[in-house]
Amino acid sequence: MPHPKRKISKSRRDKRRTHYKAEAPTLTTCQTTGAVHLPHRAYTVDGNVYFNGKVLIEKAVAV
């Protein structure tokens, strides 16, 4: 296993880690249903599956 030749200081280590941060996901609102969802993903509203503002799968009605 590799071993470090010199000790990495805490400030140097933390400078490297500054780019690792949590980001809020980008959300879009459907113009058809008004539902908030992830872009380019299918989403459900009242049991129906929508994608790009159109119904892909309708809710099955129990008889």
Side-chain angles (χ1 to χ4, degrees), residues 20-41:
Y20 301 132
K21 51 189 154 224
E23 295 179 358
T26 56
L27 298 173
T28 58
T29 305
C30 178
Q31 294 178 353
T32 308
T33 61
V36 178
H37 63 91
L38 291 171
H40 308 288
R41 302 285 196 288

Side-chain angles (χ1 to χ4, degrees), residues 7-59:
K7 179 179 178 179
I8 304 289
S9 68
K10 293 173 191 166
S11 63
R12 191 173 183 91
R13 176 200 65 198
D14 293 343
K15 278 190 233 177
R16 185 182 67 245
R17 294 181 180 172
T18 59
H19 302 289
Y20 301 132
K21 51 189 154 224
E23 295 179 358
T26 56
L27 298 173
T28 58
T29 305
C30 178
Q31 294 178 353
T32 308
T33 61
V36 178
H37 63 91
L38 291 171
H40 308 288
R41 302 285 196 288
Y43 56 96
T44 59
V45 176
D46 298 329
N48 298 330
V49 178
Y50 287 85
F51 181 74
N52 205 14
K54 299 172 187 152
V55 178
L56 286 182
I57 302 170
E58 291 190 16
K59 182 178 180 182

